[in-house]
Short mmCIF file of all heavy atoms in Angstrom, two decimals:
data_model
loop_
_atom_site.label_atom_id
_atom_site.label_comp_id
_atom_site.label_asym_id
_atom_site.label_seq_id
_atom_site.Cartn_x
_atom_site.Cartn_y
_atom_site.Cartn_z
N LEU A 1 -12.49 5.34 20.94
CA LEU A 1 -13.04 4.38 21.84
C LEU A 1 -14.54 4.60 22.02
O LEU A 1 -14.94 5.37 22.86
CB LEU A 1 -12.32 4.50 23.22
CG LEU A 1 -10.87 4.03 23.29
CD1 LEU A 1 -10.33 4.29 24.67
CD2 LEU A 1 -10.79 2.55 23.03
N PRO A 2 -15.36 4.02 21.17
CA PRO A 2 -16.78 4.24 21.26
C PRO A 2 -17.41 3.59 22.51
O PRO A 2 -16.84 2.67 23.12
CB PRO A 2 -17.35 3.58 20.00
CG PRO A 2 -16.37 2.53 19.65
CD PRO A 2 -15.00 3.06 20.09
N ALA A 3 -18.58 4.08 22.88
CA ALA A 3 -19.30 3.54 24.04
C ALA A 3 -19.77 2.10 23.77
O ALA A 3 -19.93 1.74 22.60
CB ALA A 3 -20.44 4.44 24.41
N ALA A 4 -19.98 1.33 24.83
CA ALA A 4 -20.51 0.05 24.67
C ALA A 4 -21.93 0.11 24.14
O ALA A 4 -22.42 -0.81 23.49
CB ALA A 4 -20.43 -0.77 25.98
N ASP A 5 -22.63 1.19 24.52
CA ASP A 5 -24.03 1.38 24.00
C ASP A 5 -24.02 1.58 22.53
O ASP A 5 -23.34 2.48 22.05
CB ASP A 5 -24.64 2.58 24.76
CG ASP A 5 -26.04 2.83 24.28
OD1 ASP A 5 -26.96 2.10 24.71
OD2 ASP A 5 -26.27 3.79 23.49
N ARG A 6 -24.79 0.76 21.83
CA ARG A 6 -24.77 0.80 20.36
C ARG A 6 -25.20 2.12 19.78
O ARG A 6 -24.57 2.62 18.86
CB ARG A 6 -25.73 -0.33 19.84
CG ARG A 6 -25.87 -0.39 18.37
CD ARG A 6 -26.75 -1.55 17.95
NE ARG A 6 -27.04 -1.60 16.52
CZ ARG A 6 -28.01 -0.90 15.96
NH1 ARG A 6 -28.77 -0.14 16.75
NH2 ARG A 6 -28.23 -1.00 14.69
N SER A 7 -26.26 2.75 20.33
CA SER A 7 -26.75 3.99 19.76
C SER A 7 -25.71 5.10 19.96
O SER A 7 -25.54 5.93 19.09
CB SER A 7 -28.06 4.37 20.41
OG SER A 7 -27.97 4.53 21.82
N ARG A 8 -25.04 5.12 21.12
CA ARG A 8 -24.00 6.16 21.37
C ARG A 8 -22.80 5.94 20.41
O ARG A 8 -22.24 6.88 19.90
CB ARG A 8 -23.49 6.13 22.79
CG ARG A 8 -24.54 6.69 23.80
CD ARG A 8 -23.91 6.80 25.19
NE ARG A 8 -22.77 7.65 25.19
CZ ARG A 8 -22.83 8.98 25.46
NH1 ARG A 8 -24.05 9.52 25.67
NH2 ARG A 8 -21.74 9.72 25.46
N ALA A 9 -22.45 4.65 20.19
CA ALA A 9 -21.31 4.37 19.31
C ALA A 9 -21.66 4.81 17.88
O ALA A 9 -20.81 5.42 17.20
CB ALA A 9 -21.04 2.90 19.33
N LEU A 10 -22.88 4.53 17.42
CA LEU A 10 -23.29 4.92 16.07
C LEU A 10 -23.25 6.47 15.94
O LEU A 10 -22.80 6.99 14.92
CB LEU A 10 -24.66 4.40 15.70
CG LEU A 10 -24.81 2.91 15.42
CD1 LEU A 10 -26.26 2.48 15.38
CD2 LEU A 10 -24.09 2.63 14.08
N ALA A 11 -23.75 7.15 17.00
CA ALA A 11 -23.73 8.63 16.96
C ALA A 11 -22.33 9.17 16.88
O ALA A 11 -22.06 10.19 16.20
CB ALA A 11 -24.47 9.17 18.22
N MET A 12 -21.42 8.57 17.57
CA MET A 12 -19.98 9.00 17.58
C MET A 12 -19.42 8.95 16.14
O MET A 12 -18.82 9.96 15.68
CB MET A 12 -19.17 8.09 18.52
CG MET A 12 -17.69 8.44 18.55
SD MET A 12 -16.80 7.31 19.66
CE MET A 12 -15.16 8.05 19.62
N PHE A 13 -19.62 7.82 15.44
CA PHE A 13 -19.02 7.72 14.11
C PHE A 13 -19.81 8.55 13.10
O PHE A 13 -19.30 8.98 12.10
CB PHE A 13 -18.99 6.22 13.68
CG PHE A 13 -17.99 5.47 14.44
CD1 PHE A 13 -18.33 4.59 15.46
CD2 PHE A 13 -16.62 5.63 14.16
CE1 PHE A 13 -17.39 3.90 16.16
CE2 PHE A 13 -15.66 4.94 14.85
CZ PHE A 13 -16.01 4.03 15.88
N GLN A 14 -21.10 8.79 13.40
CA GLN A 14 -21.89 9.66 12.46
C GLN A 14 -21.38 11.11 12.53
O GLN A 14 -21.39 11.82 11.54
CB GLN A 14 -23.36 9.56 12.85
CG GLN A 14 -24.26 10.33 11.87
CD GLN A 14 -25.76 10.06 12.17
OE1 GLN A 14 -26.08 9.49 13.23
NE2 GLN A 14 -26.63 10.43 11.28
N SER A 15 -20.97 11.55 13.73
CA SER A 15 -20.55 12.93 13.89
C SER A 15 -19.06 13.15 13.55
O SER A 15 -18.63 14.27 13.38
CB SER A 15 -20.80 13.38 15.36
OG SER A 15 -19.99 12.62 16.26
N LEU A 16 -18.31 12.07 13.44
CA LEU A 16 -16.85 12.17 13.17
C LEU A 16 -16.49 12.99 11.95
O LEU A 16 -15.54 13.81 12.04
CB LEU A 16 -16.23 10.75 13.14
CG LEU A 16 -14.70 10.72 13.27
CD1 LEU A 16 -14.29 11.18 14.67
CD2 LEU A 16 -14.21 9.29 13.05
N PRO A 17 -17.15 12.82 10.78
CA PRO A 17 -16.76 13.64 9.63
C PRO A 17 -16.88 15.14 9.87
O PRO A 17 -16.16 15.92 9.26
CB PRO A 17 -17.72 13.16 8.57
CG PRO A 17 -18.16 11.80 8.93
CD PRO A 17 -18.18 11.80 10.47
N GLU A 18 -17.81 15.54 10.77
CA GLU A 18 -18.00 17.00 11.06
C GLU A 18 -16.80 17.57 11.83
O GLU A 18 -16.59 18.79 11.87
CB GLU A 18 -19.28 17.21 11.83
CG GLU A 18 -20.53 16.67 11.14
CD GLU A 18 -21.75 16.72 12.06
OE1 GLU A 18 -21.59 17.20 13.20
OE2 GLU A 18 -22.85 16.24 11.59
N TRP A 19 -15.97 16.68 12.46
CA TRP A 19 -14.88 17.18 13.22
C TRP A 19 -13.74 17.72 12.33
O TRP A 19 -12.83 18.38 12.77
CB TRP A 19 -14.31 16.07 14.11
CG TRP A 19 -15.29 15.70 15.23
CD1 TRP A 19 -16.62 15.75 15.27
CD2 TRP A 19 -14.90 15.25 16.54
NE1 TRP A 19 -17.13 15.38 16.44
CE2 TRP A 19 -16.10 15.08 17.25
CE3 TRP A 19 -13.67 14.97 17.15
CZ2 TRP A 19 -16.10 14.58 18.56
CZ3 TRP A 19 -13.70 14.51 18.44
CH2 TRP A 19 -14.89 14.31 19.14
N ASP A 20 -13.75 17.22 11.05
CA ASP A 20 -12.76 17.67 10.08
C ASP A 20 -11.30 17.41 10.55
O ASP A 20 -10.46 18.26 10.61
CB ASP A 20 -12.93 19.17 9.79
CG ASP A 20 -12.15 19.65 8.53
OD1 ASP A 20 -11.89 18.74 7.68
OD2 ASP A 20 -11.79 20.81 8.44
N LEU A 21 -11.10 16.14 10.97
CA LEU A 21 -9.75 15.74 11.45
C LEU A 21 -8.87 15.36 10.24
O LEU A 21 -9.24 14.60 9.38
CB LEU A 21 -9.90 14.52 12.38
CG LEU A 21 -10.74 14.73 13.63
CD1 LEU A 21 -10.92 13.45 14.39
CD2 LEU A 21 -10.16 15.80 14.52
N ALA A 22 -7.67 15.88 10.28
CA ALA A 22 -6.76 15.66 9.15
C ALA A 22 -6.02 14.36 9.34
O ALA A 22 -5.42 13.81 8.39
CB ALA A 22 -5.77 16.80 9.02
N ALA A 23 -5.99 13.81 10.53
CA ALA A 23 -5.19 12.59 10.85
C ALA A 23 -6.00 11.32 10.55
O ALA A 23 -7.24 11.32 10.63
CB ALA A 23 -4.80 12.65 12.31
N PRO A 24 -5.32 10.22 10.26
CA PRO A 24 -5.99 8.93 10.16
C PRO A 24 -6.57 8.50 11.50
O PRO A 24 -6.13 8.93 12.55
CB PRO A 24 -4.91 7.96 9.72
CG PRO A 24 -3.61 8.65 10.12
CD PRO A 24 -3.84 10.08 10.03
N ALA A 25 -7.65 7.66 11.45
CA ALA A 25 -8.35 7.25 12.64
C ALA A 25 -8.34 5.74 12.77
O ALA A 25 -8.55 5.01 11.84
CB ALA A 25 -9.80 7.76 12.65
N LEU A 26 -8.10 5.28 14.04
CA LEU A 26 -8.13 3.86 14.38
C LEU A 26 -9.21 3.68 15.44
O LEU A 26 -9.18 4.29 16.52
CB LEU A 26 -6.78 3.42 14.95
CG LEU A 26 -6.67 1.98 15.54
CD1 LEU A 26 -6.93 0.96 14.48
CD2 LEU A 26 -5.34 1.76 16.21
N ALA A 27 -10.20 2.81 15.14
CA ALA A 27 -11.28 2.56 16.12
C ALA A 27 -10.99 1.27 16.89
O ALA A 27 -10.53 0.29 16.30
CB ALA A 27 -12.66 2.44 15.36
N VAL A 28 -11.36 1.28 18.18
CA VAL A 28 -11.21 0.07 19.03
C VAL A 28 -12.61 -0.37 19.39
O VAL A 28 -13.34 0.35 20.09
CB VAL A 28 -10.34 0.37 20.26
CG1 VAL A 28 -10.17 -0.87 21.06
CG2 VAL A 28 -9.00 0.92 19.88
N LEU A 29 -13.08 -1.50 18.90
CA LEU A 29 -14.48 -1.93 18.98
C LEU A 29 -14.65 -3.13 19.89
O LEU A 29 -13.75 -3.95 20.03
CB LEU A 29 -15.04 -2.27 17.58
CG LEU A 29 -14.90 -1.13 16.53
CD1 LEU A 29 -15.38 -1.66 15.20
CD2 LEU A 29 -15.72 0.09 16.97
N ALA A 30 -15.88 -3.24 20.43
CA ALA A 30 -16.23 -4.44 21.14
C ALA A 30 -16.34 -5.63 20.24
O ALA A 30 -16.75 -5.45 19.02
CB ALA A 30 -17.60 -4.21 21.83
N PRO A 31 -15.98 -6.86 20.64
CA PRO A 31 -15.98 -8.00 19.72
C PRO A 31 -17.36 -8.37 19.18
O PRO A 31 -17.45 -9.06 18.18
CB PRO A 31 -15.38 -9.13 20.55
CG PRO A 31 -15.58 -8.69 21.96
CD PRO A 31 -15.51 -7.20 22.00
N ASP A 32 -18.47 -7.97 19.86
CA ASP A 32 -19.80 -8.29 19.42
C ASP A 32 -20.46 -7.13 18.64
O ASP A 32 -21.69 -7.10 18.57
CB ASP A 32 -20.66 -8.76 20.60
CG ASP A 32 -20.73 -7.65 21.62
OD1 ASP A 32 -20.00 -6.64 21.55
OD2 ASP A 32 -21.60 -7.83 22.59
N SER A 33 -19.66 -6.25 18.11
CA SER A 33 -20.22 -5.11 17.35
C SER A 33 -21.09 -5.61 16.22
O SER A 33 -20.66 -6.53 15.46
CB SER A 33 -19.13 -4.19 16.84
OG SER A 33 -18.37 -3.65 17.90
N ASP A 34 -22.24 -5.01 16.01
CA ASP A 34 -23.16 -5.52 14.99
C ASP A 34 -22.76 -5.01 13.60
O ASP A 34 -21.94 -4.08 13.43
CB ASP A 34 -24.64 -5.13 15.34
CG ASP A 34 -24.85 -3.65 15.24
OD1 ASP A 34 -24.11 -2.91 14.57
OD2 ASP A 34 -25.83 -3.21 15.94
N PRO A 35 -23.35 -5.61 12.51
CA PRO A 35 -22.95 -5.24 11.15
C PRO A 35 -23.12 -3.76 10.84
O PRO A 35 -22.37 -3.17 10.10
CB PRO A 35 -23.86 -6.11 10.27
CG PRO A 35 -24.14 -7.31 11.13
CD PRO A 35 -24.24 -6.79 12.57
N GLU A 36 -24.20 -3.14 11.31
CA GLU A 36 -24.45 -1.74 11.02
C GLU A 36 -23.32 -0.83 11.57
O GLU A 36 -22.86 0.08 10.89
CB GLU A 36 -25.79 -1.26 11.56
CG GLU A 36 -26.12 0.21 11.21
CD GLU A 36 -27.45 0.67 11.82
OE1 GLU A 36 -28.12 -0.16 12.45
OE2 GLU A 36 -27.76 1.85 11.64
N LEU A 37 -22.90 -1.12 12.82
CA LEU A 37 -21.82 -0.39 13.39
C LEU A 37 -20.49 -0.60 12.60
O LEU A 37 -19.78 0.29 12.38
CB LEU A 37 -21.66 -0.77 14.89
CG LEU A 37 -20.49 -0.05 15.60
CD1 LEU A 37 -20.65 1.42 15.61
CD2 LEU A 37 -20.40 -0.57 17.05
N LEU A 38 -20.24 -1.85 12.25
CA LEU A 38 -19.01 -2.14 11.49
C LEU A 38 -19.04 -1.44 10.17
O LEU A 38 -18.01 -0.88 9.73
CB LEU A 38 -18.89 -3.66 11.28
CG LEU A 38 -18.56 -4.52 12.50
CD1 LEU A 38 -18.73 -5.98 12.17
CD2 LEU A 38 -17.19 -4.22 13.00
N GLN A 39 -20.20 -1.33 9.50
CA GLN A 39 -20.24 -0.63 8.25
C GLN A 39 -20.00 0.84 8.46
O GLN A 39 -19.34 1.49 7.61
CB GLN A 39 -21.61 -0.85 7.61
CG GLN A 39 -21.75 -0.33 6.16
CD GLN A 39 -20.76 -0.98 5.23
OE1 GLN A 39 -20.76 -2.19 5.03
NE2 GLN A 39 -19.86 -0.19 4.65
N ARG A 40 -20.59 1.42 9.51
CA ARG A 40 -20.38 2.85 9.79
C ARG A 40 -18.91 3.10 10.07
O ARG A 40 -18.34 4.10 9.63
CB ARG A 40 -21.24 3.25 11.03
CG ARG A 40 -21.21 4.71 11.33
CD ARG A 40 -21.96 5.50 10.30
NE ARG A 40 -23.35 5.11 10.17
CZ ARG A 40 -24.30 5.51 11.00
NH1 ARG A 40 -24.05 6.35 11.97
NH2 ARG A 40 -25.54 5.07 10.82
N VAL A 41 -18.20 2.18 10.85
CA VAL A 41 -16.76 2.33 11.07
C VAL A 41 -15.99 2.30 9.75
O VAL A 41 -15.09 3.05 9.54
CB VAL A 41 -16.30 1.21 12.04
CG1 VAL A 41 -14.79 1.26 12.22
CG2 VAL A 41 -16.96 1.40 13.40
N ALA A 42 -16.36 1.33 8.92
CA ALA A 42 -15.59 1.19 7.64
C ALA A 42 -15.74 2.46 6.79
O ALA A 42 -14.83 2.81 6.03
CB ALA A 42 -16.15 -0.01 6.89
N ASP A 43 -16.88 3.17 6.93
CA ASP A 43 -17.08 4.40 6.11
C ASP A 43 -16.34 5.60 6.68
O ASP A 43 -16.10 6.55 5.94
CB ASP A 43 -18.60 4.71 6.06
CG ASP A 43 -19.41 3.66 5.24
OD1 ASP A 43 -18.75 2.93 4.43
OD2 ASP A 43 -20.60 3.55 5.46
N THR A 44 -16.02 5.60 7.96
CA THR A 44 -15.44 6.77 8.60
C THR A 44 -14.01 6.64 9.11
O THR A 44 -13.26 7.62 9.06
CB THR A 44 -16.34 7.23 9.77
OG1 THR A 44 -16.49 6.16 10.65
CG2 THR A 44 -17.72 7.70 9.28
N ALA A 45 -13.64 5.45 9.61
CA ALA A 45 -12.30 5.24 10.18
C ALA A 45 -11.39 4.62 9.10
O ALA A 45 -11.88 4.06 8.12
CB ALA A 45 -12.39 4.38 11.42
#
Protein backbone atom coordinates (compact mmCIF):
# COMPACT_ATOMS: atom_id res chain seq x y z
CA LEU A 1 0.00 0.00 0.00
CA PRO A 2 2.20 2.91 -1.21
CA ALA A 3 1.74 6.46 0.04
CA ALA A 4 -0.40 8.91 -1.90
CA ASP A 5 2.70 11.10 -2.16
CA ARG A 6 4.38 10.24 -5.47
CA SER A 7 7.98 10.54 -4.27
CA ARG A 8 7.35 8.28 -1.24
CA ALA A 9 5.59 5.73 -3.45
CA LEU A 10 8.51 5.67 -5.90
CA ALA A 11 10.98 5.27 -3.01
CA MET A 12 8.97 2.33 -1.65
CA PHE A 13 9.14 0.37 -4.91
CA GLN A 14 12.76 1.33 -5.45
CA SER A 15 13.75 -0.20 -2.09
CA LEU A 16 11.57 -3.30 -2.45
CA PRO A 17 14.20 -5.49 -4.25
CA GLU A 18 16.58 -4.92 -1.29
CA TRP A 19 14.06 -6.58 1.03
CA ASP A 20 14.73 -9.92 -0.68
CA LEU A 21 11.12 -11.13 -0.30
CA ALA A 22 10.53 -14.65 -1.57
CA ALA A 23 6.75 -14.18 -1.90
CA PRO A 24 4.87 -12.64 -4.84
CA ALA A 25 3.78 -9.00 -4.39
CA LEU A 26 0.45 -7.29 -5.15
CA ALA A 27 0.41 -3.47 -5.21
CA VAL A 28 -2.72 -1.41 -4.52
CA LEU A 29 -2.40 1.93 -6.35
CA ALA A 30 -4.25 5.22 -6.59
CA PRO A 31 -6.26 5.49 -9.85
CA ASP A 32 -4.32 8.60 -10.95
CA SER A 33 -0.87 7.00 -10.61
CA ASP A 34 1.49 8.46 -13.20
CA PRO A 35 3.32 6.45 -15.91
CA GLU A 36 6.69 6.48 -14.09
CA LEU A 37 5.15 4.95 -10.98
CA LEU A 38 3.28 2.36 -13.03
CA GLN A 39 6.49 1.39 -14.81
CA ARG A 40 8.31 1.07 -11.47
CA VAL A 41 5.49 -1.14 -10.16
CA ALA A 42 5.62 -3.32 -13.28
CA ASP A 43 9.36 -3.84 -12.73
CA THR A 44 9.08 -4.84 -9.06
CA ALA A 45 5.60 -6.22 -8.26
